[in-house]
């Protein structure tokens, strides 16, 4: 029966080519637009560390001592002292500090001109905590953090640029005025978003594309970087002006990000208590005024709170699906026109004994076939749409691609839309009274 | 009218489909036009500056220290010495330089507070080539230092409570003072964090000056910019505006680049990262994402128009075909071809109009939904008739071919198969 319906569907589609092309176009264009935006949405709203994100937390405190300035929520990052206190307490399974700053980089014994790159100041736990993949060498040890070792881990792209992709472990990099030894080279790594740096989303007015930038190119122990790149650090915010710009260790500024890993709910609850106790203790020492203002969101909560997916992308997705709805109505109309024109054929089939269900199934098969064709066109248009997105001046342009899931979704959505569009016309066709049709012939 | 309504009632499915399609398309088009206009407004707003002859220098960052006022002035002098340069000003918050923008709240006599971008720097009126409407430029004696120590120390000029001179734009003058002359008027600064309670006195009005937070340059706020009498010093970042002789534009640009390198390009200095660009290049960069978004919206509009047009054509064509006999009868009873044509146009007009009414309501609902999620203003009602007009044209165009085919139906059809 399936083969017979398929054969009839192909014949029917061939019979009226213009109408078929119009229907395939309508579905294809609608699917292309909505799948392009949906794919971007899927890439931007995914979990950057599946399976692990629930164990990563971001402790937040409110170190601003100004009594009259009460914040509804703590600031997104911390001052140096609070961050160091929490980090060195080692109360979590793993904990790390993260700070970004621009630095001038020259590789010894290469003729690549000096580069201005982003430096990530962090601690030993960063690499295992965030599953950062290594190509050569490894990260540094807690001892290196302690001794302010002049060591660095570099990104795959920097390794390609400076050393042609060769194993550069042991070679020297000149960071501003300091020589550091390369001890590790990462594999290509492109978390989406750059989750460990996400902060300040609530001030971005939905313009959050910058959260999807590339990871930094040079990673250096936090303690060492404070000496190497002193004067180049940027504050998130300050409650009073720093004396020396860029030198923030003793400045009244919030600029250090803290992440902790807590294996289970019990540990998370314990850490929450520890954080509250720490803030209370700092209040009794006179350093904090708003001690009750602490939070411990996990990674996904933090991304949600910052509204990481740019509002432009949301908007485009809404528009594309509204457009798909227009295409759906369009297809319903075209199918109805097509099916009801074939009243005579339906009458003959019914008179020869076909049930209403059989007629319904036959026409639904035809619409499903339109759906498959529309899916192929939609897939091609999605590829074209994504290549357009790749040429847009957005930070996430380079990682836009169609993965297997979205490829399958394209066809699933296309067939679902065509069946939805075909249900009403096929039902109307199956209700055609055979006698009336035969009489008019 | 009855002749139009009767077939619509009897076979309601086809018109309902057309109607729904029109409603959806109208709703989306209204919102898309609105979004496009939000993006387009800053691009169309007059800059007020001498755009073709303006060079901007920014991203001069002192590393681990601040630039002194003397260094800032030395930079100005070095730039003025370049052949082809007519004027140079060290400024903070310059046109199209959005790294650092300064927001100031102004409160006029009508108690409406307006958030504006402030531009600091000596001689900016002349350097930017602004057009004075009334009043005067700042006097050299009116400039006060601005910078880290100067602006926030307890005994700095910023906080003395002395009224500060300000130059505003025509748009601000209209907004704050209405028809009253602006020059000489006082403005308050209702910033709660600034306890000094100093006010501003308007000394001059310029015709246009586009703000540097260009995302906010919508809905008549493009010219919400003021000039304050401040010279720059003690800052971690320097930027310069340079006006050049039109005849020597290229030579001057190269000269400015060299001068910046000489002046700030020492080892380990911020000059290595300095950006020297013409105003037009900067403008081009600043609107890059807006342009991309506009192309996308344009593509959206085209796709919606084509799909709707094809849909209406297909549906009406089928519907006309089904009524071939009725058309034949009407022709046989004496209806002219023009009347048949009119009949289909009128029928389409009726369906599309109802669709538009529904679409307007949908457009408004969609706008409220978008406003709930995104920072968008209310959809102004003007967009509704625009969307409606587009849909009417699409509807009439869509019905044209099927209606013409209908007029070709000979009256003899009525006599067949009866």
């Amino acid at each position: 029966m399936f083969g017979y319906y398929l054969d009839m569907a192909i014949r029917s589609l061939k019979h009226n080519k213009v109408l078929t092309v119009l229907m395939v176009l309508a579905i294809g264009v609608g699917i292309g637009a909505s799948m392009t935006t949906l794919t971007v949405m899927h890439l931007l709203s995914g979990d950057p560390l599946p399976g692990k994100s629930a164990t990563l937390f971001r402790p937040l405190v409110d170190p601003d001592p100004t009594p009259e300035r009460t914040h509804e929520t703590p600031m997104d990052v911390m001052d140096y002292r609070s961050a160091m206190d929490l980090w060195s307490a080692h109360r979590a399974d793993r904990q790390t500090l993260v700070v970004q700053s621009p630095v001038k980089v020259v590789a010894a014994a290469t003729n690549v001109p000096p580069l201005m790159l982003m430096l990530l100041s962090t601690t030993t736990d960063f690499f295992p905590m965030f599953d950062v993949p290594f190509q050569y060498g490894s990260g540094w040890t807690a001892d290196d953090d302690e001794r302010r070792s002049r060591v660095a881990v570099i990104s795959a792209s920097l390794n390609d640029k400076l050393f042609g992709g060769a194993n550069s472990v042991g070679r020297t990099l000149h960071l501003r005025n300091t020589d550091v030894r390369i001890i590790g080279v990462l594999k290509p790594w492109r978390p989406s978003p750059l989750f460990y740096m996400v902060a300040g989303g609530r001030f971005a007015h939905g313009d959050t594309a910058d959260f999807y930038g590339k990871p930094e190119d040079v990673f250096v122990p936090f303690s060492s970087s404070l000496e190497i790149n002193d004067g180049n650090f940027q504050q998130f915010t300050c409650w009073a002006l720093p004396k020396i710009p860029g030198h923030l260790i003793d400045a009244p500024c919030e600029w250090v990000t803290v992440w902790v890993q807590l294996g289970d709910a019990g540990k998370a609850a314990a850490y929450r208590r520890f954080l509250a106790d720490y803030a209370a203790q700092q209040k009794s020492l006179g350093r904090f005024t708003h001690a009750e203002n602490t939070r411990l969101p996990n990674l996904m909560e933090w991304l949600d709170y910052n509204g990481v997916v740019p509002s432009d992308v949301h908007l485009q997705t809404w528009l594309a699906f509204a457009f798909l709805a227009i295409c759906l109505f369009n297809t319903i109309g075209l199918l109805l026109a097509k099916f009801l024109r074939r009243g005579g054929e339906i009458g003959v089939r019914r008179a020869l004994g076909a049930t209403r269900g059989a007629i319904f199934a036959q026409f639904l098969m035809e619409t499903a076939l339109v759906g498959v064709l529309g899916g192929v066109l939609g897939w091609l248009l999605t590829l074209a749409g994504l290549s357009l997105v790749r040429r847009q001046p957005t930070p996430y342009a380079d990682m836009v691609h169609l993965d297997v899931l979205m490829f399958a979704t394209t066809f699933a959505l296309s067939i679902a839309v065509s069946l939805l569009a075909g249900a009403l016309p096929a039902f109307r066709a199956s209700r055609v009274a055979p006698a009336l049709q035969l009489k008019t012939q | 009218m009855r002749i139009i309504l009767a077939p619509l009632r009897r076979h309601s499915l086809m018109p309902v489909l057309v109607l729904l399609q029109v409603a959806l398309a109208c709703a989306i088009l209204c919102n898309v036009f609105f979004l496009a206009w939000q993006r387009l407004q800053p691009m169309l707003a007059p800059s007020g500056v001498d755009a073709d002859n303006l060079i901007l220098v920014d991203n001069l960052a002192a590393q681990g220290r601040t630039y002194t006022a003397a260094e800032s002035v030395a930079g100005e002098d070095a730039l003025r010495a370049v052949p082809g340069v007519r004027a140079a000003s060290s400024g903070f918050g310059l046109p199209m330089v959005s790294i650092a923008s300064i927001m100031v709240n102004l409160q006029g006599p009508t108690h409406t507070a307006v958030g504006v971008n402030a531009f600091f720097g000596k001689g900016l009126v002349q350097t930017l080539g602004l057009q004075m409407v009334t009043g005067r430029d700042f006097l050299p004696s009116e400039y006060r230092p601005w910078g880290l120590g100067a602006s926030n120390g307890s005994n700095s000029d910023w906080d003395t409570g002395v009224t500060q001179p300000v130059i505003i734009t025509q748009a601000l003058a209209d907004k704050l003072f209405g028809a009253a002359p602006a020059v000489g008027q006082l403005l308050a600064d209702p910033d709660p964090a600034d306890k000094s309670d100093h006010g501003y006195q308007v000394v001059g009005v310029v015709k246009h000056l586009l703000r540097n937070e260009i995302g906010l340059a919508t809905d008549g706020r493009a010219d919400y910019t003021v000039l304050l009498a401040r010279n720059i010093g003690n800052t971690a970042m320097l930027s310069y505006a340079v006006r050049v002789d039109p005849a020597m534009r290229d030579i001057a640009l190269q000269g400015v680049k060299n001068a910046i390198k000489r002046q700030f390009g020492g080892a380990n200095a911020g000059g290595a990262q300095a950006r020297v660009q013409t105003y037009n290049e900067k403008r081009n960069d600043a609107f890059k994402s807006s342009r991309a978004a506009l192309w996308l919206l344009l593509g959206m509009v085209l796709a919606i128009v084509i799909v709707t047009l094809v849909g209406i054509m297909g549906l009406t064509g089928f519907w006309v075909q089904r009524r071939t006999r009725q058309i034949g009868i009407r022709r046989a009873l004496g209806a002219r071809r023009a009347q048949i044509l009119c009949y289909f146009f009128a029928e389409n007009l009726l369906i599309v109009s109802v669709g538009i009414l529904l679409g307007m309501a949908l457009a408004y609902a969609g706008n409220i939904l978008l406003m709930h999620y995104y920072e968008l203003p209310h959809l102004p009602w003007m967009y509704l008739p625009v969307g409606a007009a587009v849909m009417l044209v699409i509807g009439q165009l869509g019905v044209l071919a099927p209606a013409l085919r209908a007029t070709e139906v000979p009256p003899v059809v009525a006599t067949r198969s009866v």
Side-chain angles (χ1 to χ4, degrees):
Chain A
M1 225 38 171
F2 183 86
Y4 177 58
Y5 289 162
L6 190 65
D7 181 47
M8 280 214 294
I10 292 170
R11 274 167 200 275
S12 157
L13 291 179
K14 270 191 194 154
H15 182 71
N16 196 335
K17 288 202 184 82
V18 179
L19 218 49
T20 307
V21 167
L22 281 182
M23 284 190 291
V24 170
L25 268 179
I27 290 192
V29 173
I31 294 292
S34 37
M35 282 313 296
T36 304
T37 56
L38 199 64
T39 304
V40 174
M41 188 82 168
H42 164 73
L43 286 169
L44 299 192
S45 62
D47 185 342
L49 281 176
K52 199 167 191 180
S53 56
T55 66
L56 296 172
F57 292 85
R58 180 149 177 153
L60 301 171
V61 295
D62 189 350
D64 182 352
T66 327
E68 59 266 31
R69 224 178 285 154
T70 49
H71 305 115
E72 218 163 276
T73 49
M75 263 307 151
D76 302 44
V77 295
M78 276 182 218
D79 62 306
Y80 178 76
R81 169 110 180 256
S82 310
M84 279 318 262
D85 284 350
L86 292 179
W87 177 70
S88 49
H90 285 94
R91 294 290 283 265
D93 296 346
R94 283 180 180 135
Q95 46 261 305
T96 190
L97 306 174
V98 194
V99 165
Q100 225 185 26
S101 59
V103 72
K104 188 162 132 188
V105 178
V106 184
T110 61
N111 46 14
V112 182
L115 302 163
M116 277 310 288
L117 297 174
M118 273 305 184
L119 173 75
L120 192 79
S121 316
T122 185
T123 63
T124 171
D125 283 348
F126 177 84
F127 303 100
M129 229 171 125
F130 297 142
D131 291 338
V132 185
F134 276 88
Q135 180 143 30
Y136 305 115
S138 63
W140 57 83
T141 61
D143 202 32
D144 289 319
D145 278 325
E146 186 73 26
R147 285 190 292 118
R148 286 173 275 189
S149 302
R150 301 300 193 236
V151 293
V153 169
I154 63 171
S155 70
S157 65
L158 183 63
N159 192 45
D160 288 346
K161 206 180 288 171
L162 295 180
F163 307 107
N167 185 351
S168 59
V169 171
R171 299 190 62 161
T172 303
L173 214 55
H174 199 60
L175 298 182
R176 211 173 164 202
N177 300 320
T178 313
D179 282 338
V180 296
R181 188 168 46 88
I182 297 173
I183 57 165
V185 176
L186 301 186
K187 282 187 183 151
W189 183 53
R190 187 80 170 87
S192 157
L194 194 58
F195 59 91
Y196 55 85
M197 284 309 300
V198 166
R202 62 203 152 117
F203 308 113
H205 306 291
D207 193 4
T208 51
D210 289 337
F211 288 150
Y212 293 88
K214 294 190 180 73
E216 298 73 12
D217 281 308
V218 187
F219 302 77
V220 167
F222 188 79
S223 51
S224 325
S225 75
L226 292 179
E227 297 171 356
I228 295 171
N229 212 18
D230 184 32
N232 276 346
F233 291 98
Q234 288 153 357
Q235 65 270 21
F236 181 79
T237 182
C238 296
W239 59 86
L241 270 196
K243 279 191 216 72
I244 312 165
H247 176 82
L248 300 178
I249 292 184
D250 47 5
C253 294
E254 286 144 316
W255 59 293
V256 185
T257 304
V258 184
W259 284 99
V260 296
Q261 187 176 356
L262 302 161
D264 55 55
K267 283 179 182 168
Y271 200 88
R272 224 174 276 277
R273 264 196 310 282
F274 162 67
L275 197 62
D277 291 348
Y278 170 75
Q281 178 214 15
Q282 292 299 309
K283 187 176 183 176
S284 67
L285 289 175
R287 206 167 73 83
F288 282 12
T289 359
H290 309 291
E292 66 300 333
N293 204 3
T294 63
R295 299 273 193 289
L296 190 66
N298 70 24
L299 175 54
M300 289 318 274
E301 285 166 354
W302 179 246
L303 296 184
D304 278 349
Y305 173 69
N306 278 281
V308 286
V309 179
S311 59
D312 272 358
V313 175
H314 276 290
L315 200 69
Q316 285 157 14
T317 312
W318 277 103
L319 282 176
F321 273 87
F323 178 60
L324 183 63
I326 297 187
C327 294
L328 177 74
F329 283 121
N330 205 331
T331 314
I332 295 178
L334 293 172
L335 282 171
L336 205 58
K338 187 157 201 267
F339 290 174
L340 293 189
R341 237 175 242 177
R342 282 151 63 192
E345 177 200 323
I346 299 166
V348 172
R349 286 207 63 213
R350 286 296 309 281
L352 290 178
T355 59
R356 282 185 173 161
I359 302 286
F360 186 74
Q362 180 206 335
F363 283 102
L364 222 49
M365 172 59 94
E366 197 173 321
T367 62
L369 196 59
V370 170
V372 172
L373 291 174
V376 173
L377 181 68
W379 168 58
L380 293 174
L381 287 176
T382 305
L383 289 181
L386 291 179
S387 82
L388 271 180
V389 176
R390 266 196 294 275
R391 268 190 273 156
Q392 302 249 319
T394 53
Y396 53 80
D398 66 299
M399 57 181 183
V400 170
H401 68 284
L402 193 71
D403 58 14
V404 180
L405 178 67
M406 285 293 121
F407 176 77
T409 311
T410 307
F411 284 90
L413 187 66
S414 175
I415 294 173
V417 164
S418 68
L419 288 183
L420 196 64
L424 178 72
F427 179 76
R428 287 293 289 258
S430 71
R431 297 284 127 172
V432 163
L436 202 66
Q437 292 297 331
L438 290 175
K439 212 166 70 183
T440 52
Q441 288 263 306
Chain B
M1 200 63 186
R2 239 188 40 173
I3 196 165
I4 297 178
L5 284 177
L8 290 182
R9 259 207 308 275
R10 207 167 315 131
H11 302 278
S12 52
L13 195 55
M14 284 287 169
V16 162
L17 281 173
V18 172
L19 192 146
L20 283 177
Q21 212 171 329
V22 166
L24 259 178
C26 180
I28 301 178
L29 276 184
C30 285
N31 277 298
V32 168
F33 285 148
F34 176 54
L35 290 172
W37 183 237
Q38 291 292 113
R39 291 278 192 175
L40 207 57
Q41 273 174 316
M43 298 174 86
L44 298 178
S47 69
V49 303
D50 183 9
D52 292 334
N53 304 313
L54 193 60
I55 295 172
L56 295 162
V57 182
D58 74 318
N59 219 23
L60 276 165
Q63 303 198 321
R65 63 185 197 98
T66 54
Y67 287 119
T68 62
E71 282 175 295
S72 160
V73 172
E76 280 182 351
D77 291 340
L79 289 169
R80 279 193 206 108
V82 172
V85 170
R86 283 186 170 170
S89 298
S90 171
F92 201 85
L94 287 175
M96 294 296 159
V97 179
S98 48
I99 296 182
S101 43
I102 298 165
M103 277 292 256
V104 174
N105 279 309
L106 293 180
Q107 200 166 28
T110 51
H111 299 289
T112 40
V114 183
V116 301
N117 287 138
F119 290 7
F120 297 166
K122 205 163 187 171
L124 276 183
V125 172
Q126 212 224 328
T127 308
L128 297 178
L130 304 179
Q131 196 185 336
M132 276 309 246
V133 181
T134 52
R136 57 168 176 85
D137 194 357
F138 299 124
L139 304 172
S141 60
E142 281 174 329
Y143 286 95
R144 292 283 175 274
W146 178 84
L148 291 176
S151 66
N152 281 275
S154 52
N155 50 4
S156 77
D157 274 350
W158 187 256
D159 297 327
T160 48
V162 176
T163 306
Q164 299 173 9
V166 64
I167 294 177
I168 62 175
T169 57
Q170 185 67 57
L172 271 176
D174 294 344
K175 167 87 181 172
L176 291 166
F177 308 115
V183 174
Q185 297 258 29
L186 290 173
L187 288 166
D189 184 348
D191 182 2
D194 188 350
K195 299 194 194 84
S196 62
D197 231 18
H198 66 77
Y200 299 101
Q201 183 169 30
V202 180
V203 298
V205 178
V206 293
K207 192 157 187 219
H208 290 293
L209 181 53
L210 181 61
R211 68 192 305 168
N212 55 7
E213 279 182 286
I214 47 177
L216 296 176
T218 55
D219 309 314
R221 298 176 298 170
D223 272 347
Y224 280 16
T225 321
V226 297
L227 296 172
L228 293 179
R230 294 274 159 188
N231 43 31
I232 313 297
N234 268 337
T235 163
M237 288 260 227
L238 277 183
S239 47
Y240 288 96
V242 185
R243 185 144 163 239
V244 300
D245 191 330
M248 300 178 69
R249 223 173 289 161
D250 298 331
I251 305 168
L253 180 63
Q254 195 52 49
V256 166
K257 281 181 184 164
N258 295 339
I260 289 292
K261 205 175 280 170
R262 264 201 314 280
Q263 194 69 21
F264 298 99
N268 233 340
Q273 308 155 43
R275 274 196 300 255
V276 182
Q277 285 172 301
T278 64
Y279 176 84
N280 289 330
E281 277 170 349
K282 274 213 129 35
R283 184 181 188 280
N284 204 28
D285 290 350
F287 286 125
K288 209 180 224 172
S289 67
S290 282
R291 268 200 307 276
L294 276 175
W295 279 114
L296 190 91
L297 292 176
L298 181 71
M300 199 86 201
V301 169
L302 276 181
I304 291 170
V305 166
I306 292 172
V307 166
T308 315
L309 193 65
V310 167
I312 292 178
M313 258 159 98
L315 282 172
T316 323
F318 171 67
W319 214 28
V320 167
Q321 199 191 5
R322 291 207 101 189
R323 287 181 296 175
T324 307
R325 264 186 54 208
Q326 282 98 309
I327 298 164
I329 293 170
R330 289 196 60 201
R331 292 276 284 135
L333 289 176
R336 289 158 187 272
R337 288 193 171 165
Q339 281 171 323
I340 300 289
L341 202 63
C342 278
Y343 166 74
F344 281 107
F345 276 126
E347 184 190 75
N348 178 267
L349 195 68
L350 184 72
I351 298 172
V352 171
S353 300
V354 178
I356 286 168
L357 284 182
L358 188 63
M360 285 178 176
L362 268 180
Y364 222 75
N367 175 245
I368 286 169
L369 183 83
L370 291 179
M371 270 175 49
H372 186 70
Y373 289 106
Y374 318 106
E375 290 190 18
L376 270 179
H378 251 300
L379 181 74
W381 64 268
M382 292 105 73
Y383 288 88
L384 300 179
V386 174
V390 172
M391 290 323 295
L392 281 179
V393 172
I394 293 175
Q396 299 288 294
L397 276 179
V399 86
L400 185 63
L404 281 176
R405 219 170 323 128
T407 61
E408 301 297 316
V409 173
V412 73
V413 172
T415 61
R416 284 194 200 133
S417 70
V418 171

